[in-house]
Amino acid sequence: MYWKRTLESSFWSYKANIPEERIDDFLEARCIVKFNYIYGFIENGLDILVIDSFFCEAMANIFRLKEKYEVLLGLLVYCYLYYLSKRESEKVVTPEVRNCAERIVLHKSVKKVYRQFLERLCIDSSSLNSDMLKQMIKLLGPYERLGSHTKYMIIENVINEYYMFIILYLSNTYHMPGLLERNLDDDTYSGYVYENKAENTKQMTEVKLREKFKDIIADTDKKGEVIHIPVLNLFDYTDSVNENCVDSFCPNMYGQFSLGLEWILRKRNALDQVDRIKDFSDDRDYMNYLHSNNLELLIGSKYVLANKNYSLTHEFEKLTENWKVIYTMLMENGLALKRDSIKVCIHSIEVEIRSQNISDEKQSYNKETGLYTYSIYSGMPIDFKENELEAFLHDNRKVIEISAKISVQTATERIGTLIVEK
């Protein structure tokens, strides 16, 4: 009870006289102090304190959600519990900590209070915008668990997914116009959901690729070898493939385009190769390598090319602020190239949309029954005869194939380095 009374009296209702111009800094600092208390309780297995003091007392009775930092704290705590209980590897989360987080999120009082928290958010959602997401990433980033082994940094993805879920839930459940538009941007979320945009699928031109890769695009190239590369091979339901879904394809297209560039440069033997983990002692060693070799054009995976240590984010951003940086999905590696060492001319884009057939994907086939098992809209698997499945796929599934004819000009024999992570 002492901890409970101290926590409530010291933090949830604390007020101070702060100059107007510093109030945001103060409120953010107070928010992270409160989060640190909860973090400490979770680390020490004190789930009852988190349940009673934070959820059942502070969030249920004190929070009025009139200031964005109450909303922020609620989102931070629940997102971190989700990260610990469901997403992070057991190599860096001990069973004790994971069990503590699970006991909290599964507690019936916590479920009730958190549902009420979301209901109150639907009344005034003004604090939910892209700045809220950025602040969550900024404040939770340092709490990613690292352990003693090299690991992928996942907490930013977890925060993005959690925030997307909250926005989609509120928008769908409470019919809140404008909430999606001011919170979910194409680059971050179109890998998860389709964004409807008024653009005809068949009329996609080079515009999207030219904009994304504008730093390396050349308008003409009459001498270079024209190479045909795939940039999209997508299966989807017929009613989802229409003039409104083009933007949702773009992140996959950007990733495939980058893979095509990597393939071409490998084939030309234009790249050195280093391992992001094995060949560098730390992030600063890696950053010095980029700087000393004038590798000021970065293309590919952010998780390979950017800093691993969250505390060096500002330093890495400062180093690269005048560089050309193009992060893409799908590409596992990264290209670190000399500035102005490569130019790409897009000669044409080809689009094919056709009905799917059985041979397009590996199907689940039972030799004994002669039936195919296929999951339809609801996700429920259904048995089909071959002709039935062919008919279903033809009418209900489409294949979108997009390819590009490009030529690539390189300034020198060796133009940079392929950064891999094995």
Side-chain angles (χ1 to χ4, degrees):
M1 290 301 296
Y2 170 76
W3 276 101
K4 184 173 183 290
R5 289 194 302 271
T6 301
L7 189 61
E8 292 163 12
S9 61
S10 298
F11 289 97
W12 308 136
S13 57
Y14 177 73
K15 295 182 180 179
N17 294 320
I18 303 296
E20 184 69 26
E21 65 273 12
R22 297 297 307 278
I23 192 67
D24 269 359
D25 292 338
F26 166 75
L27 292 174
E28 181 181 293
R30 190 176 70 171
C31 177
I32 204 62
V33 168
K34 294 174 183 178
F35 180 82
N36 277 329
Y37 264 76
I38 297 163
Y39 170 81
F41 293 155
I42 296 170
E43 289 292 302
N44 289 282
L46 302 175
D47 50 289
I48 298 302
L49 276 177
V50 179
I51 294 168
D52 289 350
S53 294
F54 179 70
F55 284 101
C56 294
E57 181 59 33
M59 186 177 276
N61 299 323
I62 297 175
F63 283 19
R64 293 295 174 264
L65 307 188
K66 292 182 179 179
E67 66 168 49
K68 69 175 182 179
Y69 289 96
E70 288 182 339
V71 177
L72 176 62
L73 182 59
L75 295 175
L76 288 176
V77 171
Y78 209 86
C79 183
Y80 192 64
L81 289 168
Y82 165 61
Y83 162 75
L84 291 178
S85 61
K86 298 297 183 184
R87 297 300 307 277
E88 188 52 276
S89 167
E90 61 185 15
K91 294 180 181 179
V92 293
V93 178
T94 64
E96 293 78 12
V97 169
R98 193 184 298 279
N99 290 338
C100 180
E102 288 179 347
R103 287 195 299 270
I104 296 170
V105 296
L106 294 176
H107 195 279
K108 63 180 182 180
S109 295
V110 171
K111 293 180 181 179
K112 177 182 177 182
V113 170
Y114 193 67
R115 187 163 54 248
Q116 292 170 345
F117 171 75
L118 294 179
E119 289 171 355
R120 278 182 279 166
L121 271 184
C122 81
I123 298 172
D124 182 4
S125 64
S126 58
S127 60
L128 294 178
N129 52 49
S130 58
D131 288 338
M132 176 67 76
L133 175 59
K134 291 175 184 176
Q135 205 161 17
M136 287 182 67
I137 293 171
K138 169 189 170 185
L139 296 183
L140 268 189
Y143 292 87
E144 176 142 11
R145 302 177 79 88
L146 300 177
S148 58
H149 303 285
T150 300
K151 65 177 284 289
Y152 284 107
M153 305 288 280
I154 69 165
I155 201 165
E156 184 171 340
N157 275 349
V158 172
I159 297 166
N160 281 329
E161 291 173 12
Y162 169 80
Y163 193 74
M164 177 184 68
F165 171 79
I166 295 298
I167 297 304
L168 291 175
Y169 171 80
L170 291 174
S171 180
N172 181 65
T173 305
Y174 300 106
H175 308 291
M176 303 169 67
L179 187 65
L180 290 177
E181 289 78 2
R182 70 172 187 264
N183 279 281
L184 304 186
D185 65 87
D186 290 347
D187 283 343
T188 304
Y189 291 106
S190 53
Y192 302 105
V193 295
Y194 280 130
E195 295 292 335
N196 289 330
K197 303 290 181 181
E199 183 175 72
N200 191 291
T201 304
K202 281 285 191 179
Q203 293 179 344
M204 184 184 299
T205 67
E206 297 109 69
V207 172
K208 296 288 185 180
L209 287 173
R210 282 185 177 277
E211 177 60 27
K212 180 70 174 179
F213 293 90
K214 60 182 181 296
D215 290 326
I216 61 171
I217 293 296
D219 291 330
T220 59
D221 178 18
K222 297 181 180 179
K223 298 181 179 180
E225 175 191 6
V226 177
I227 302 169
H228 194 268
I229 63 170
V231 292
L232 185 72
N233 187 22
L234 179 73
F235 298 173
D236 209 339
Y237 284 99
T238 298
D239 53 8
S240 296
V241 179
N242 52 48
E243 68 277 6
N244 297 320
C245 66
V246 174
D247 280 359
S248 65
F249 305 155
C250 288
N252 283 342
M253 286 198 340
Y254 301 151
Q256 290 288 356
F257 192 79
S258 298
L259 284 171
L261 295 182
E262 178 187 338
W263 178 79
I264 291 169
L265 295 178
R266 278 176 179 263
K267 187 177 179 181
R268 293 184 182 179
N269 197 30
L271 301 169
D272 296 318
Q273 180 170 316
V274 297
D275 189 291
R276 180 70 171 81
I277 302 299
K278 296 177 182 178
D279 293 332
F280 302 100
S281 58
D282 53 27
D283 276 355
R284 283 203 173 88
D285 187 23
Y286 165 69
M287 290 157 66
N288 287 336
Y289 174 83
L290 297 178
H291 179 69
S292 61
N293 287 281
N294 299 315
L295 302 177
E296 298 181 2
L297 169 59
L298 306 181
I299 303 172
S301 169
K302 180 178 181 179
Y303 303 101
V304 173
L305 291 170
N307 56 293
K308 304 279 186 187
N309 186 335
Y310 186 85
S311 66
L312 294 179
T313 298
H314 178 73
E315 190 172 330
F316 185 81
E317 290 176 348
K318 184 69 175 176
L319 173 69
T320 61
E321 64 181 350
N322 294 317
W323 293 9
K324 299 173 181 178
V325 180
I326 306 170
Y327 292 133
T328 66
M329 297 169 53
L330 300 183
M331 190 177 180
E332 294 181 355
N333 303 322
L335 297 170
L337 309 177
K338 298 182 186 298
R339 180 184 287 270
D340 300 324
S341 62
I342 182 173
K343 288 295 179 183
V344 179
C345 179
I346 300 174
H347 295 276
S348 65
I349 299 290
E350 298 177 359
V351 179
E352 180 183 1
I353 302 177
R354 60 177 176 81
S355 293
Q356 185 178 339
N357 56 58
I358 286 182
S359 62
D360 283 320
E361 289 183 291
K362 184 178 180 181
Q363 305 293 343
S364 177
Y365 178 69
N366 187 322
K367 291 183 179 179
E368 294 182 2
T369 64
L371 298 176
Y372 291 85
T373 301
Y374 190 86
S375 295
I376 59 172
Y377 290 101
S378 63
M380 181 181 296
I382 294 178
D383 289 336
F384 289 86
K385 295 179 182 178
E386 182 173 346
N387 64 323
E388 293 174 337
L389 182 55
E390 283 281 12
F392 174 84
L393 294 175
H394 181 276
D395 294 340
N396 294 280
R397 299 281 292 179
K398 288 291 181 285
V399 179
I400 302 176
E401 296 174 326
I402 302 177
S403 59
K405 290 184 177 179
I406 67 172
S407 58
V408 179
Q409 310 163 39
T410 52
T412 58
E413 187 173 315
R414 289 294 179 100
I415 65 170
T417 301
L418 180 67
I419 312 292
V420 303
E421 190 169 296
K422 295 182 179 178

